[in-house]
């Protein structure tokens, strides 16, 4: 088995080994992965964080040893909560996006191998304090107005399940990448009236398959990625888009995970 780490601000992960293939997810700076296969200068990888698979351009990754892979994962409990902030070393500068792990972080510095970076931005330690609905809400609001991007996981572009995953990640809760898989976690709540701040709300298509997810702000409002990260009204029928004056998503159920 071979291993790697994302040493760039962001790396697209594609469904097929071609730059023309759709982006299915993204790797952020400091995130690690296993290399499962190689083909035509592309690597099939499996993300350490959520076991998601896809193809990355081998020119964009740093291959590492198993011991470095384990060490980085063990020492990546602190994440940036800045939308974007530059990390600086003696010879390099990288924009770091919200949700990126900062390996070996201490005293406003982190390191990746021999490169030590100064980082003056705000961070969160996911090991400190249990998650609460209000903390989840505060994190979600940081993404407000981020543009929708299929496969995106950052404030510069994010999809619905990437949004819920990253908000929960920054509160120390690990959930899968896709909404259908997220919908299988926690305790199921069928009534909107019983929703609490921070719960995940799921929405279905005409054949009752889960196709969308949002985060409840209260039992009348949901924040979700649809065109952009936005706040809309919600009732037992679904999401009501206030700008369009119509229902945009059909309600299915709620899950309480934290």
């Amino acid at each position: 088995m071979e291993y790697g780490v994302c040493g760039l601000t962001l790396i697209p992960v594609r469904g097929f080994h071609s730059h023309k293939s759709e982006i299915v997810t993204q790797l952020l700076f400091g995130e690690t992965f296993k290399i499962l296969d190689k083909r035509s200068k592309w690597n099939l990888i499996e993300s350490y964080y959520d076991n998601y698979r896809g193809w990355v351009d081998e020119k964009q990754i740093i291959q590492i040893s198993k011991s470095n892979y384990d060490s980085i994962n063990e020492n990546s409990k602190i994440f940036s909560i800045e939308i974007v902030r530059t990390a600086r070393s003696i010879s390099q500068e990288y924009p770091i996006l919200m949700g990126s792990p900062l390996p070996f972080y201490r005293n406003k510095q982190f390191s990746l191998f021999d490169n030590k970076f100064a980082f003056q931005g705000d961070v969160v330690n996911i090991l400190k304090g249990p998650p609460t609905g209000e903390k989840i809400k505060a994190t979600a609001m940081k993404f407000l107005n981020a543009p929708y991007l299929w496969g995106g996981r950052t404030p510069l572009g994010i999809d619905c399940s990437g949004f819920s995953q990253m908000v929960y990640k920054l509160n120390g809760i690990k959930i899968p990448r896709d909404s259908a898989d997220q919908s299988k976690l926690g305790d199921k709540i069928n009534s909107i009236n019983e929703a609490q701040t921070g719960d995940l709300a799921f929405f279905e298509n005409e054949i009752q398959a889960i196709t969308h997810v949002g985060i409840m702000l209260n039992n009348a409002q949901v924040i979700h990625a649809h065109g952009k990260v936005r706040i809309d009204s919600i009732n037992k029928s679904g999401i009501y888009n206030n700008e369009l004056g119509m229902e945009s998503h059909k309600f299915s159920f709620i899950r309480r995970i934290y």
Side-chain angles (χ1 to χ4, degrees):
M1 181 70 69
E2 296 179 326
Y3 304 87
V5 63
C6 177
L8 301 176
T9 302
L10 190 69
I11 294 176
V13 182
R14 301 183 183 274
F16 191 68
H17 46 86
S18 167
H19 285 294
K20 296 180 180 180
S21 179
E22 70 172 356
I23 297 173
V24 295
T25 192
Q26 296 169 324
L27 291 171
L28 280 64
F29 182 92
E31 292 189 324
T32 60
F33 50 87
K34 296 177 182 178
I35 299 173
L36 306 178
D37 193 11
K38 295 186 177 184
R39 191 175 305 177
S40 303
K41 298 184 179 180
W42 287 80
N43 290 353
L44 176 63
I45 64 101
E46 180 180 271
S47 167
Y48 167 79
Y49 184 74
D50 57 16
N51 303 122
Y52 212 77
R53 294 184 177 188
W55 293 88
V56 297
D57 184 338
E58 68 176 14
K59 297 188 299 295
Q60 294 187 310
I61 66 171
I62 300 172
Q63 196 162 329
I64 58 177
S65 66
K66 175 64 161 59
S67 60
N68 281 334
Y69 173 83
D70 291 338
S71 183
I72 291 171
N73 294 333
E74 179 64 26
N75 292 279
S76 293
K77 309 303 181 186
I78 293 178
F79 297 83
S80 171
I81 54 172
E82 300 277 1
I83 292 178
V84 59
R85 179 63 68 96
T86 299
R88 293 180 170 86
S89 70
I90 294 175
S91 59
Q92 295 176 312
E93 293 187 0
Y94 284 106
I96 301 297
L97 301 176
M98 183 155 57
S100 300
L102 306 177
F104 307 98
Y105 180 90
R106 185 178 181 183
N107 298 327
K108 296 189 179 298
Q109 290 187 332
F110 68 90
S111 61
L112 195 60
F113 309 117
D114 294 331
N115 288 326
K116 293 185 177 181
F117 294 89
F119 186 78
Q120 299 299 319
D122 291 336
V123 300
V124 61
N125 185 337
I126 62 170
L127 298 180
K128 285 190 175 181
T132 66
E134 289 303 316
K135 288 180 181 178
I136 292 170
K137 176 181 176 179
T139 305
M141 294 298 291
K142 290 179 177 290
F143 288 87
L144 192 63
N145 292 317
Y148 182 89
L149 175 66
W150 179 268
R153 296 175 67 227
T154 81
L156 304 184
I158 200 162
D159 62 23
C160 69
S161 56
F163 171 61
S164 53
Q165 185 192 54
M166 293 305 293
V167 169
Y168 269 51
K169 175 183 181 180
L170 290 170
N171 283 276
I173 306 170
K174 183 179 289 192
I175 62 175
R177 177 64 177 85
D178 292 337
S179 59
D181 295 321
Q182 294 175 7
S183 71
K184 300 172 185 176
L185 304 178
D187 298 322
K188 187 175 182 180
I189 299 169
N190 291 306
S191 172
I192 287 286
N193 293 331
E194 297 176 16
Q196 295 181 4
T197 302
D199 286 346
L200 293 183
F202 294 93
F203 305 87
E204 62 187 41
N205 62 13
E206 61 279 1
I207 60 171
Q208 298 184 316
I210 298 300
T211 58
H212 191 67
V213 60
I215 298 174
M216 298 296 292
L217 297 179
N218 49 56
N219 61 11
Q221 289 182 307
V222 62
I223 183 169
H224 64 129
H226 181 61
K228 63 179 180 179
V229 175
R230 56 183 295 119
I231 297 172
D232 282 316
S233 301
I234 184 173
N235 56 40
K236 63 181 180 180
S237 176
I239 295 176
Y240 186 82
N241 187 303
N242 302 310
E243 292 179 359
L244 299 178
M246 60 179 290
E247 185 178 288
S248 63
H249 297 85
K250 182 182 178 183
F251 176 72
S252 184
F253 54 80
I254 289 170
R255 289 281 185 176
R256 185 165 301 147
I257 298 174
Y258 66 94

